[in-house]
Amino acid sequence: MTAPSDARARGTRLPRVRRRRQLLAAAQEVFVARGYHAAAMDEIADRAGVSKPVLYQHFPGKLELYLALLEEHSEVLVEKQREALESTDDNRQRVIASFRAYFDFVAGDGEAFRLVFESDLRNLPAVREKSEETFQRCAELIGAVIRQDTSISDEEAHLLSIGLVGMAETSARYWLNNHGSVPKGAAEQLVARLAWRGISGWDLHRAAEEQD
Amino acid sequence: MTAPSDARARGTRLPRVRRRRQLLAAAQEVFVARGYHAAAMDEIADRAGVSKPVLYQHFPGKLELYLALLEEHSEVLVEKQREALESTDDNRQRVIASFRAYFDFVAGDGEAFRLVFESDLRNLPAVREKSEETFQRCAELIGAVIRQDTSISDEEAHLLSIGLVGMAETSARYWLNNHGSVPKGAAEQLVARLAWRGISGWDLHRAAEEQD
DNA sequence: GGAGGAACCTACGCCGGAGTAAGATGGGGG
DNA sequence: CCCCCATCTTACTCCGGCGTAGGTTCCTCC
């Protein structure tokens, strides 16, 4: 670990756009490894093989740098989720694809998911809002599917999707932290099955269950 | 909001134990409202109607103060969960009770749940471990019930309980943040039903589902 | 080949907030 | 009645880390 990423040749100059990309990559590594607060601008600069003022020529401040990354990866997650749900018309497969999307997201891109799911800056309104918005958008995508194919009320469908998204997020994160205990495919399938059993045929058996 | 809690009579002396309790209460308010990093020892002291050194006569540092609270409320959650699962022998009722326990926890005690679920100090190993341990203990309690009444393998049962706990935590937090859209009892029931449909009769229908 | 500007550096200002020294105060036991 | 210790206070020190002033190098384009 602690691969220096791009500390190559402390003396190479880069065109502006290229440098910016690289700075973002370095920042991601540091923010992911240390969290927002423990991350130092000096370390990010070092990691990029550059001095601090360079960082400030590309981003007005630490916060903006962080927000840029948060924004980017939030968008990736929502997009993955959208693709998953559009990938098929079979709802059962949809559930599986949706969970796989979460696991993929968590497994991918240098653990960037920690920015979205485990940010230590949620107390800042801007960050909290972004986080919740991302969460809501995912839930809404799923909620739309549920509503479309059942007679569940809007409010109930929404709450159910919230629960499902929470399950996906939590189990994906858990799976990643305990790599090796269960292979990815199996974990996805298992949790997806739990979800599918939960929602499939909700209307049908509802009356019966209401009896209790 | 910003109820001063106990800023009563800036000049009253208190016996050691009583003062300690009060400091913990003040600290909880501030940590919950601001998070660990944005919380200032000065503010905690002020909130308790006392000066900073007093705080340091009761706790060696900011971190220890925080950990004391985290520990306490983590224990409360696990205990609530244990009680819920022991409250009945009917597994369906168990699921409901278990979810209710999460909602109760989130609804209770000055939003102390934010320390356990939304800590902005998870990057510190001590905190991360405590958080995960709490989470695991809850999952393990549920996992034990699942294993006890089904033939699901240990590993699978564990992953399923992880997912369920995640669902409970997420939906409870969401419900609290959007108070008013759904009454507590209804929300609990709805999500509990989702979970119950998911796990009940898992063995029975398993073979059939494996076909796909 | 030499201005000019873009990319980069060293070195510092400064501020918030954790933790501390040294002294004031007040009430219970001798 | 007065001493003593526990309680509490004011008023600092110190440090990490963000952001910046001012100067330097190297490439490009005329």
Side-chain angles (χ1 to χ4, degrees), chain A:
Chain A
M1 53 154 70
T2 43
S5 162
D6 282 298
R8 60 190 174 192
R10 172 86 190 195
T12 43
R13 296 189 167 201
L14 258 52
R16 194 167 170 78
V17 188
R18 206 153 187 75
R19 181 62 84 192
R20 187 191 153 93
R21 272 195 218 294
Q22 190 222 7
L23 288 176
L24 279 169
Q28 179 174 325
E29 286 181 26
V30 177
F31 280 135
V32 163
R34 303 236 188 287
Y36 179 85
H37 292 100
M41 291 298 263
D42 296 272
E43 186 179 354
I44 294 173
D46 278 1
R47 183 74 60 111
V50 116
S51 76
K52 212 171 15 160
V54 173
L55 211 42
Y56 284 91
Q57 282 163 6
H58 286 263
F59 305 93
K62 186 182 183 183
L63 180 59
E64 288 77 11
L65 177 53
Y66 186 80
L67 287 177
L69 288 166
L70 182 61
E71 181 85 25
E72 178 189 333
H73 290 103
S74 296
E75 215 54 42
V76 168
L77 171 60
V78 175
E79 201 42 47
K80 271 186 154 65
Q81 196 55 218
R82 183 196 314 283
E83 284 171 16
L85 292 174
E86 285 178 354
S87 71
T88 173
D89 278 349
D90 175 20
N91 280 334
R92 166 128 192 237
Q93 293 306 315
R94 271 206 178 107
V95 171
I96 294 178
S98 177
F99 277 85
R100 182 162 45 232
Y102 263 95
F103 277 70
D104 283 347
F105 179 68
V106 159
D109 201 342
E111 307 205 345
F113 78 96
R114 298 199 189 275
L115 301 182
V116 183
F117 293 155
E118 302 176 356
S119 172
D120 60 340
L121 202 61
R122 247 181 306 209
N123 290 94
L124 199 76
V127 172
R128 180 175 287 265
E129 279 156 24
K130 192 71 207 165
S131 253
E132 287 180 359
E133 179 209 305
T134 305
F135 183 75
Q136 294 273 359
R137 284 173 68 191
C138 287
E140 203 37 56
L141 286 172
I142 294 176
V145 175
I146 294 182
R147 269 195 289 278
Q148 176 183 325
D149 292 328
T150 70
S151 62
I152 301 177
S153 82
D154 282 11
E155 275 180 356
E156 290 187 344
H158 193 232
L159 190 50
L160 289 180
S161 7
I162 296 291
L164 292 174
V165 170
M167 188 163 84
E169 180 183 316
T170 304
S171 49
R173 273 170 46 202
Y174 172 82
W175 165 79
L176 190 86
N177 290 335
N178 301 54
H179 243 205
S181 75
V182 185
K184 179 164 172 289
E188 288 164 6
Q189 298 275 336
L190 189 72
V191 190
R193 177 176 297 152
L194 177 61
W196 174 246
R197 290 177 50 94
I199 44 172
S200 66
W202 182 282
D203 319 290
L204 302 179
H205 303 297
R206 178 150 192 193
E209 287 175 359
E210 297 275 8
Q211 290 175 355
D212 309 81

Side-chain angles (χ1 to χ4, degrees), chain B residues 164-181:
Chain B
L164 291 174
V165 169
M167 189 163 84
E169 179 183 317
T170 305
S171 48
R173 272 170 48 201
Y174 172 81
W175 166 79
L176 190 87
N177 290 336
N178 299 55
H179 243 205
S181 77

